[in-house]
Amino acid sequence: MKKKVLSVLLSAAMAASILAGCGEAAAPAADAGSDAAEAEAPAADAEAPAADAEAPAAEAPAASGEAGKVLNIAAWNEEFKTRLTDHYPGYEVVDGTHGKIGDVTVNWLITPNENNAYQDRLDEILLGQESAAQDDKLDLFLVEADYALKYVDTDYAAAVESLGISLDETKDQYQYTKDIMTDSNGVLKGVSWQGCPGVMIYQRAIAKEVFGTDEPEEIQKLFADWGKFNESADKLKAKGYLTTASVADTWRVYQNNVSKPFVDGTTIQIDDNIKKWAEDSKDLYDRGCTTTANQWTDDWSKGFYPEGKVFCYFGPAWLIDFCMAADTEGSVAHDGGWAATEGPQGFFWGGTWICGCAGTDNGDLVADIMRKMTMDPDVMKDIVLKDNDFVNNRPVMEGLASDPEYHSAVLGGQNALKMFCAGADKIDMSNLTAYDQGLLGDYQTAMVDWMNGNFASYEDALDSFYKAAEVRYPELTH
């Protein structure tokens, strides 16, 4: 049954590229990825094992016998490769697609996310896992939240406990990061070094000009709910500023606060908060307070610079430090011109999870990588201090949140970790479904077409969404 679930989802071709990575163009208003390295990720030149669609899913987490000499890791960008290179003890770089850990060669199978290429390649490898030669077997693969359930609820992802990692070892990780990777039987199938609670990131200079202050507590009062957000948008418009760079910027905030999943059984359902995003966004667009630019395009990212005249973006730590041109002279981030506040609603965006692959012949090494990279407090703290990431360790993050020496240069010296920590504890993944990536992208595309005048009404746009969704997932109805 679990293989059947995977096969159905493979045939559905989850093509929407929601979490695709900084710099990658997406469908209109669709989200993009969890890390700036996506745009620079080269296509892998290492060979993957051939697919065998008839092979049964591997049940065992590790092959018997001697440990393998090659550790094969599938990913869509360079983020985890960089983390492993910089923080895993004893990792040695060999070349662009290979490394060494002791006597084991690390083979990176990196396929950019664009046009669903990463998932397509991963599916091919997994379907051929059991029949693959020992050193061709996949050992680790990475997934994102929007399609995690596609893999978690199959036998291809090894149970963390089957690798020798006890659940007690994950006690300091934020619960939502474990919920995402827990299958329908309550079994944990993957772990992450990263937490991705989001905040509203606003320009200090614009705040001072329009509202007379750039203090986060005062700005929060003006944007504490969507009614106040929309009222403040008028004041920004009067001074010649956009509130957000695109209607896509608020999508995650609304979508993360739904009261029901996108699919109930086989029935597509539209939550009131999803509809509210479309209606509020059209109103803001019609009033000239935002645009319908695609995320990760130049029209969207021009707000990273003062001349772009964009007041705010919504995002987690990775957006602030990896995607907002912090290293580019003249950008708002380079000059420490941003600040952060909670905004109208809490949300999360992105994240990367490490899955041990069933059939791996390097189970001990896979487990050690998981422990070091997601459970070792010294490594976790090192990632925060060196990479400005928000890590998946509550004690480490709470300690830094109260550390008077810790601050963000991009945020003008602000320590925003307390609000990130508070947001991480509130994230609820109970409404996640295996269909989310495709459906969320199709819904946004239809609604942006409505905003741009291609449909006469919300109902017409919704009908277009249903038609697209049922082509993508023929098993679903509405």
Side-chain angles (χ1 to χ4, degrees):
M1 176 59 69
K2 288 183 177 180
K3 184 186 178 189
K4 182 178 179 182
V5 171
L6 179 60
S7 298
V8 168
L9 290 172
L10 303 190
S11 65
M14 292 175 151
S17 194
I18 298 177
L19 300 182
C22 294
E24 178 181 323
D31 293 359
S34 60
D35 144 9
E38 171 73 17
E40 300 177 1
D45 57 9
E47 293 186 3
D52 179 0
E54 301 303 316
E59 298 291 339
S64 59
E66 185 179 352
K69 297 299 183 185
V70 179
L71 185 78
N72 291 299
I73 303 176
W76 63 89
N77 61 23
E78 300 270 335
E79 180 184 25
F80 182 58
K81 179 181 172 185
T82 300
R83 293 289 181 270
L84 207 65
T85 300
D86 292 345
H87 302 285
Y88 185 77
Y91 184 92
E92 301 176 21
V93 176
V94 175
D95 57 34
T97 57
H98 297 88
K100 292 282 286 187
I101 298 176
D103 294 331
V104 177
T105 296
V106 181
N107 183 32
W108 292 96
L109 304 169
I110 296 178
T111 308
N113 242 345
E114 189 173 5
N115 296 323
N116 213 54
Y118 172 64
Q119 286 187 61
D120 290 345
R121 191 180 193 206
L122 178 58
D123 297 344
E124 180 184 14
I125 295 171
L126 292 177
L127 289 171
Q129 176 78 343
E130 187 178 31
S131 60
Q134 180 169 321
D135 283 338
D136 288 334
K137 288 185 182 295
L138 193 62
D139 299 288
L140 282 174
F141 64 94
L142 305 181
V143 297
E144 296 175 292
D146 280 353
Y147 55 82
L149 289 183
K150 172 183 172 183
Y151 300 99
V152 169
D153 218 19
T154 74
D155 290 323
Y156 293 100
V160 168
E161 287 184 293
S162 75
L163 296 164
I165 297 172
S166 71
L167 295 183
D168 185 64
E169 293 180 78
T170 69
K171 66 182 184 301
D172 290 333
Q173 297 182 349
Y174 289 99
Q175 186 59 42
Y176 93 90
T177 69
K178 294 184 281 187
D179 290 343
I180 289 175
M181 301 305 296
T182 299
D183 72 10
S184 57
N185 295 315
V187 178
L188 184 64
K189 294 290 193 72
V191 290
S192 178
W193 71 90
Q194 188 177 49
C196 296
V199 294
M200 190 180 90
I201 309 149
Y202 63 91
Q203 278 206 56
R204 289 181 179 273
I206 297 176
K208 286 180 178 179
E209 178 185 347
V210 178
F211 304 115
T213 179
D214 66 345
E215 289 300 317
E217 296 81 3
E218 297 304 313
I219 298 301
Q220 176 61 21
K221 294 175 184 177
L222 301 172
F223 292 85
D225 56 46
W226 291 116
K228 293 178 179 178
F229 183 93
N230 292 330
E231 289 175 8
S232 296
D234 285 331
K235 296 178 181 179
L236 289 162
K237 176 66 167 58
K239 293 287 188 177
Y241 296 108
L242 294 171
T243 304
T244 61
S246 167
V247 296
D249 288 308
T250 56
W251 165 253
R252 282 281 171 184
V253 192
Y254 284 87
Q255 188 268 325
N256 278 185
N257 288 280
V258 296
S259 59
K260 59 187 178 184
F262 229 131
V263 177
D264 180 16
T266 59
T267 303
I268 300 171
Q269 51 187 8
I270 305 299
D271 186 85
D272 289 344
N273 225 39
I274 294 293
K275 182 179 180 182
K276 181 175 173 56
W277 168 80
E279 293 173 339
D280 284 357
S281 294
K282 186 176 190 307
D283 179 59
L284 284 172
Y285 176 63
D286 289 346
R287 286 156 49 199
C289 298
T290 189
T291 78
T292 56
N294 294 351
Q295 283 186 313
W296 313 114
T297 63
D298 290 343
D299 284 340
W300 175 76
S301 61
K302 67 183 181 182
F304 296 167
Y305 301 87
E307 56 269 24
K309 294 184 175 296
V310 173
F311 176 65
C312 73
Y313 290 84
F314 287 85
W318 58 256
L319 182 74
I320 296 171
D321 285 287
F322 304 139
C323 300
M324 299 183 77
D327 295 330
T328 304
E329 189 171 351
S331 73
V332 178
H334 184 272
D335 296 331
W338 296 104
T341 195
E342 292 89 341
Q345 290 180 292
F347 70 104
F348 90 100
W349 181 10
T352 303
W353 281 263
I354 309 167
C355 296
C357 191
T360 175
D361 55 0
N362 286 291
D364 289 344
L365 181 55
V366 167
D368 192 63
I369 288 173
M370 286 181 163
R371 284 191 177 97
K372 289 286 196 308
M373 299 305 297
T374 77
M375 303 168 204
D376 186 314
D378 291 332
V379 173
M380 296 285 91
K381 185 173 182 179
D382 198 48
I383 290 174
V384 179
L385 296 179
K386 292 182 178 177
D387 305 318
N388 292 316
D389 210 348
F390 183 95
V391 296
N392 190 19
N393 186 293
R394 181 179 285 101
V396 167
M397 295 315 304
E398 290 179 351
L400 289 170
S402 59
D403 184 349
E405 298 299 318
Y406 181 83
H407 65 276
S408 168
V410 171
L411 298 179
Q414 180 185 3
N415 182 345
L417 294 184
K418 283 186 179 180
M419 66 181 73
F420 280 118
C421 289
D425 278 326
K426 295 175 183 176
I427 295 172
D428 178 10
M429 301 308 303
S430 61
N431 290 314
L432 193 70
T433 82
Y435 297 97
D436 284 359
Q437 185 179 41
L439 294 181
L440 299 180
D442 288 343
Y443 184 83
Q444 290 176 86
T445 297
M447 294 304 134
V448 169
D449 280 344
W450 172 48
M451 295 171 203
N452 285 331
N454 296 325
F455 294 114
S457 67
Y458 171 82
E459 288 71 24
D460 289 343
L462 187 62
D463 184 60
S464 175
F465 158 68
Y466 284 135
K467 290 176 181 177
E470 290 169 9
V471 169
R472 185 187 295 277
Y473 303 118
E475 69 272 23
L476 300 183
T477 58
H478 71 278

